[in-house]
Each structure stands twice: as C-alpha cells, then as structure tokens.
C-alpha cells in the first residue's frame, strides 16, 4: 500500500531532523504517498525513488520532492545521498537482495533508516505487483539477524524502525 503505519511517525520525523545537517541530501525510497517528503521538504533537500509509476502522478510526488526517479532501488546509485529512508520498502525486496542492499548502503557510510511491518503477508495491491511482501516472516529478532548493521530505534508489536548509526 502507498501508506505506512502511523506508529511513532512524529518521533521518527523528529529523529530524522535531529540527525541530518542542513546540507544533507536525503533519499526517500518507495515514496508511495509521499509522507516523508511532505514532512521534510521544508527542511532538507529530498529526492524520491518510486518503482510504481502510477503513484508518482496519483500523489503528485513531483510537487513534494526535488527529483522523483521511477526506478527499482536495486538499480539506483545512492552514492550522492547522505541519509536514506526505506519506510515500508525492505519487506518488498527478496531477502538476499535486501540484505545485500542494506550492507552496501551501510558499508558506504550512508545513514539509513528502515521501517518494517512484522509478520505481514501481502500480495499485489490495487494492480501493483510491487506491493507483494517477499519477507512476510520479519520479526524484530529476524530483522536484526538479517541486517546486523541495523539497530532498534522504535518498535511495537507490529512495526519497527531501525537505524545504522
């Protein structure tokens, strides 16, 4: 779905703003409805990657972000960015590709924030095959095992936020 959980959203936005510098370039991966862009656009330079082209028009993402790229994050160069947000995106990527992506970003010294739902099965949504969850087995413990560079920021029974810094 193009929307994410509202759990801890205010705290997370505050956390991001407290951990970025004014000259940082931020990348919102899987922008969906543009929640992070809307919250951060007045404070920082922020681009978006959105794999599902209809969301770009439906949610007017070009009005929210400096640049919007209609591409798969696995084929995107994140090197120009200082801070990367992957809100409700990692579960949509097959496990080993996701593990490689997180390692690559962390090894490059980029700040990374990841939000994931726990134990959440999901298939195609509203004609969007990219909404399928390839990691429906995620729990807090499994997340930390698969992504050792990450550590907990916030969580509840159904959702977790993690950072690598």
């Amino acid at each position: 779905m193009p929307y994410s959980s509202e759990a801890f959203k205010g705290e997370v936005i505050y956390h991001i703003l407290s951990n970025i510098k004014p000259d940082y370039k931020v990348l919102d991966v899987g922008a969906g409805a543009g929640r992070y862009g809307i919250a951060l656009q007045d404070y920082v330079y922020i681009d978006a990657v959105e794999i599902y082209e209809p969301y770009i028009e439906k949610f007017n993402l070009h009005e929210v972000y400096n640049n919007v790229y209609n591409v798969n994050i696995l084929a995107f160069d994140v090197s120009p960015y200082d801070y990367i947000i992957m809100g409700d995106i990692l579960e949509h990527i097959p496990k080993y590709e996701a593990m490689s992506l997180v390692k690559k970003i962390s090894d490059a010294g980029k700040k990374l924030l990841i939000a994931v739902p726990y134990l959440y099965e999901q298939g195609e949504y509203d004609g969007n095959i990219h909404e399928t969850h390839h990691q429906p087995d995620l729990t807090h413990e499994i997340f930390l095992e698969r992504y050792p560079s990450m550590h907990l920021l916030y969580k509840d029974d159904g959702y977790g936020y993690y950072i690598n810094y």
Side-chain angles (χ1 to χ4, degrees):
M1 292 172 276
Y3 304 100
S4 60
S5 171
E6 287 299 312
F8 306 106
K9 198 64 82 183
E11 294 91 336
V12 168
I13 297 298
Y14 179 79
H15 173 85
I16 293 169
L17 289 171
S18 299
N19 283 277
I20 57 176
K21 297 177 183 170
D23 63 339
Y24 270 23
K25 286 183 74 177
V26 176
L27 180 66
D28 183 5
V29 179
R35 176 73 167 94
Y36 289 106
I38 292 166
L40 299 172
Q41 68 182 345
D42 292 336
Y43 303 100
V44 68
Y45 181 97
I46 185 166
D47 287 346
V49 166
E50 177 51 59
I51 196 169
Y52 190 57
E53 190 171 16
Y55 287 168
I56 296 171
E57 297 305 317
K58 180 178 183 177
F59 297 108
N60 299 311
L61 297 182
H62 287 293
E63 294 177 18
V64 175
Y65 296 93
N66 295 88
N67 296 289
V68 179
Y69 301 98
N70 178 219
V71 64
N72 186 323
I73 188 59
L74 298 173
F76 189 78
D77 178 15
V78 300
S79 64
Y81 298 93
D82 304 292
Y83 197 102
I84 299 166
I85 302 167
M86 296 179 71
D88 284 81
I89 187 66
L90 203 65
E91 67 276 11
H92 299 278
I93 302 172
K95 177 172 72 171
Y96 293 109
E97 291 175 301
M99 290 168 65
S100 177
L101 177 64
V102 170
K103 183 176 182 343
K104 180 179 92 174
I105 291 169
S106 291
D107 287 353
K110 307 296 181 183
K111 288 187 175 185
L112 176 62
L113 179 136
I114 296 174
V116 294
Y118 299 140
L119 299 174
Y120 198 95
E121 294 270 351
Q122 180 174 290
E124 178 181 303
Y125 175 80
D126 198 25
N128 182 356
I129 62 166
H130 303 291
E131 291 289 356
T132 302
H133 285 191
H134 295 283
Q135 297 186 74
D137 62 336
L138 286 174
T139 63
H140 171 66
E141 293 77 18
I142 289 172
F143 182 90
L144 292 175
E145 182 180 302
R146 286 184 190 161
Y147 306 100
S149 63
M150 306 301 294
H151 62 272
L152 181 65
L153 181 61
Y154 299 106
K155 80 175 189 71
D156 62 19
D157 291 340
Y159 203 77
Y161 290 91
Y162 299 86
I163 54 175
N164 70 345
Y165 51 93

